Short mmCIF file of all heavy atoms in Angstrom, two decimals:
data_model
loop_
_atom_site.label_atom_id
_atom_site.label_comp_id
_atom_site.label_asym_id
_atom_site.label_seq_id
_atom_site.Cartn_x
_atom_site.Cartn_y
_atom_site.Cartn_z
N GLN E 288 7.96 8.68 -46.95
CA GLN E 288 8.17 7.23 -46.89
C GLN E 288 6.94 6.47 -46.39
O GLN E 288 6.96 5.27 -46.28
CB GLN E 288 9.36 6.91 -45.98
CG GLN E 288 10.70 7.24 -46.63
CD GLN E 288 11.84 7.04 -45.66
OE1 GLN E 288 12.07 7.86 -44.77
NE2 GLN E 288 12.54 5.94 -45.82
N SER E 289 5.88 7.19 -46.01
CA SER E 289 4.71 6.49 -45.47
C SER E 289 3.45 7.17 -45.97
O SER E 289 3.45 8.36 -46.30
CB SER E 289 4.73 6.54 -43.95
OG SER E 289 3.49 6.10 -43.45
N SER E 290 2.33 6.40 -46.02
CA SER E 290 1.07 7.00 -46.44
C SER E 290 0.37 7.67 -45.26
O SER E 290 -0.60 8.38 -45.44
CB SER E 290 0.18 5.94 -47.07
OG SER E 290 0.20 4.77 -46.29
N LEU E 291 0.84 7.40 -44.01
CA LEU E 291 0.23 8.06 -42.85
C LEU E 291 1.21 9.11 -42.32
O LEU E 291 2.29 8.80 -41.86
CB LEU E 291 -0.07 7.03 -41.75
CG LEU E 291 -0.71 7.57 -40.47
CD1 LEU E 291 -2.03 8.27 -40.76
CD2 LEU E 291 -0.91 6.45 -39.46
N GLN E 292 0.79 10.39 -42.45
CA GLN E 292 1.68 11.46 -42.01
C GLN E 292 1.12 12.17 -40.79
O GLN E 292 -0.08 12.24 -40.59
CB GLN E 292 1.87 12.49 -43.13
CG GLN E 292 2.82 12.05 -44.21
CD GLN E 292 2.11 11.83 -45.53
OE1 GLN E 292 1.09 12.46 -45.78
NE2 GLN E 292 2.62 10.94 -46.36
N GLY E 293 2.04 12.66 -39.95
CA GLY E 293 1.61 13.38 -38.76
C GLY E 293 2.62 14.43 -38.36
O GLY E 293 3.67 14.58 -38.99
N VAL E 294 2.28 15.14 -37.25
CA VAL E 294 3.16 16.19 -36.75
C VAL E 294 3.48 15.89 -35.28
O VAL E 294 2.58 15.56 -34.49
CB VAL E 294 2.46 17.57 -36.85
CG1 VAL E 294 3.37 18.67 -36.29
CG2 VAL E 294 2.08 17.86 -38.28
N VAL E 295 4.76 16.02 -34.91
CA VAL E 295 5.16 15.79 -33.52
C VAL E 295 4.62 16.94 -32.66
O VAL E 295 4.84 18.11 -32.97
CB VAL E 295 6.69 15.71 -33.40
CG1 VAL E 295 7.11 15.52 -31.94
CG2 VAL E 295 7.23 14.58 -34.27
N THR E 296 3.87 16.60 -31.60
CA THR E 296 3.29 17.65 -30.75
C THR E 296 3.95 17.73 -29.38
O THR E 296 3.89 18.76 -28.72
CB THR E 296 1.77 17.40 -30.54
OG1 THR E 296 1.59 16.09 -30.04
CG2 THR E 296 1.02 17.56 -31.84
N HIS E 297 4.52 16.63 -28.88
CA HIS E 297 5.20 16.65 -27.59
C HIS E 297 6.49 15.87 -27.68
O HIS E 297 6.57 14.91 -28.43
CB HIS E 297 4.33 16.01 -26.49
CG HIS E 297 3.23 16.88 -26.02
ND1 HIS E 297 1.94 16.80 -26.54
CD2 HIS E 297 3.21 17.87 -25.11
CE1 HIS E 297 1.19 17.69 -25.93
NE2 HIS E 297 1.93 18.37 -25.07
N LEU E 298 7.47 16.26 -26.87
CA LEU E 298 8.74 15.54 -26.86
C LEU E 298 9.30 15.57 -25.45
O LEU E 298 9.43 16.62 -24.85
CB LEU E 298 9.72 16.22 -27.84
CG LEU E 298 11.17 15.73 -27.78
CD1 LEU E 298 11.27 14.31 -28.33
CD2 LEU E 298 12.08 16.67 -28.55
N ILE E 299 9.57 14.37 -24.92
CA ILE E 299 10.16 14.28 -23.58
C ILE E 299 11.33 13.32 -23.65
O ILE E 299 11.24 12.26 -24.26
CB ILE E 299 9.15 13.74 -22.54
CG1 ILE E 299 7.92 14.65 -22.45
CG2 ILE E 299 9.80 13.62 -21.17
CD1 ILE E 299 6.76 14.01 -21.71
N PHE E 300 12.45 13.68 -23.01
CA PHE E 300 13.60 12.78 -22.94
C PHE E 300 13.44 11.89 -21.70
O PHE E 300 13.30 12.38 -20.58
CB PHE E 300 14.89 13.59 -22.85
CG PHE E 300 16.11 12.74 -22.70
CD1 PHE E 300 16.40 11.76 -23.66
CD2 PHE E 300 16.96 12.88 -21.62
CE1 PHE E 300 17.52 10.96 -23.53
CE2 PHE E 300 18.08 12.09 -21.48
CZ PHE E 300 18.37 11.13 -22.44
N LYS E 301 13.45 10.58 -21.90
CA LYS E 301 13.18 9.65 -20.78
C LYS E 301 14.42 8.88 -20.35
O LYS E 301 14.31 7.93 -19.59
CB LYS E 301 12.11 8.64 -21.21
CG LYS E 301 10.73 9.23 -21.36
CD LYS E 301 10.07 9.35 -20.00
CE LYS E 301 8.57 9.20 -20.12
NZ LYS E 301 7.93 9.25 -18.81
N GLY E 302 15.57 9.21 -20.87
CA GLY E 302 16.77 8.46 -20.51
C GLY E 302 17.09 7.44 -21.57
O GLY E 302 17.93 7.68 -22.44
N VAL E 303 16.41 6.27 -21.51
CA VAL E 303 16.68 5.22 -22.50
C VAL E 303 16.18 5.64 -23.89
O VAL E 303 16.76 5.32 -24.91
CB VAL E 303 16.00 3.90 -22.08
CG1 VAL E 303 16.28 2.81 -23.10
CG2 VAL E 303 16.50 3.49 -20.70
N HIS E 304 15.09 6.38 -23.91
CA HIS E 304 14.50 6.74 -25.22
C HIS E 304 13.83 8.11 -25.13
O HIS E 304 13.70 8.67 -24.04
CB HIS E 304 13.48 5.68 -25.64
CG HIS E 304 12.38 5.49 -24.62
ND1 HIS E 304 11.36 6.38 -24.45
CD2 HIS E 304 12.19 4.52 -23.68
CE1 HIS E 304 10.57 5.97 -23.47
NE2 HIS E 304 11.06 4.85 -22.99
N TYR E 305 13.38 8.60 -26.28
CA TYR E 305 12.55 9.80 -26.31
C TYR E 305 11.09 9.37 -26.35
O TYR E 305 10.74 8.40 -27.04
CB TYR E 305 12.85 10.64 -27.55
CG TYR E 305 14.23 11.25 -27.53
CD1 TYR E 305 15.30 10.61 -28.15
CD2 TYR E 305 14.46 12.47 -26.90
CE1 TYR E 305 16.57 11.15 -28.13
CE2 TYR E 305 15.73 13.03 -26.87
CZ TYR E 305 16.78 12.37 -27.50
OH TYR E 305 18.03 12.91 -27.49
N GLU E 306 10.25 10.09 -25.63
CA GLU E 306 8.81 9.83 -25.72
C GLU E 306 8.20 10.98 -26.49
O GLU E 306 8.37 12.14 -26.13
CB GLU E 306 8.20 9.72 -24.33
CG GLU E 306 6.71 9.38 -24.36
CD GLU E 306 6.16 9.16 -22.95
OE1 GLU E 306 6.58 8.19 -22.31
OE2 GLU E 306 5.33 9.97 -22.53
N MET E 307 7.49 10.64 -27.57
CA MET E 307 6.90 11.68 -28.41
C MET E 307 5.42 11.42 -28.61
O MET E 307 4.96 10.28 -28.52
CB MET E 307 7.58 11.70 -29.78
CG MET E 307 8.96 12.33 -29.75
SD MET E 307 9.90 11.95 -31.24
CE MET E 307 10.49 10.32 -30.89
N GLU E 308 4.67 12.49 -28.85
CA GLU E 308 3.29 12.33 -29.25
C GLU E 308 3.17 12.89 -30.65
O GLU E 308 3.66 13.98 -30.95
CB GLU E 308 2.34 13.06 -28.30
CG GLU E 308 1.97 12.19 -27.11
CD GLU E 308 1.16 12.93 -26.07
OE1 GLU E 308 0.44 13.89 -26.44
OE2 GLU E 308 1.26 12.56 -24.89
N VAL E 309 2.54 12.09 -31.51
CA VAL E 309 2.42 12.48 -32.91
C VAL E 309 0.94 12.54 -33.27
O VAL E 309 0.21 11.57 -33.09
CB VAL E 309 3.14 11.48 -33.83
CG1 VAL E 309 2.97 11.89 -35.30
CG2 VAL E 309 4.62 11.39 -33.48
N GLU E 310 0.51 13.71 -33.74
CA GLU E 310 -0.88 13.88 -34.16
C GLU E 310 -0.99 13.45 -35.63
O GLU E 310 -0.32 14.02 -36.50
CB GLU E 310 -1.26 15.36 -33.97
CG GLU E 310 -2.44 15.84 -34.75
CD GLU E 310 -3.74 15.57 -34.02
OE1 GLU E 310 -3.78 15.77 -32.80
OE2 GLU E 310 -4.71 15.16 -34.68
N ALA E 311 -1.78 12.38 -35.88
CA ALA E 311 -1.91 11.91 -37.26
C ALA E 311 -3.32 11.41 -37.49
O ALA E 311 -3.82 10.57 -36.73
CB ALA E 311 -0.91 10.78 -37.53
N ASN E 312 -3.99 11.94 -38.47
CA ASN E 312 -5.37 11.57 -38.84
C ASN E 312 -6.31 11.55 -37.63
O ASN E 312 -7.08 10.62 -37.43
CB ASN E 312 -5.40 10.19 -39.52
CG ASN E 312 -4.84 10.29 -40.94
OD1 ASN E 312 -4.16 11.26 -41.28
ND2 ASN E 312 -5.14 9.31 -41.77
#
Side-chain angles (χ1 to χ4, degrees):
Chain E
Q288 286 175 283
S289 169
S290 45
L291 180 59
Q292 283 113 28
V294 179
V295 178
T296 54
H297 284 95
L298 170 70
I299 301 166
F300 177 57
K301 290 279 211 178
V303 180
H304 57 75
Y305 293 94
E306 183 175 294
M307 285 165 279
E308 274 174 28
V309 178
E310 160 86 42
N312 287 18

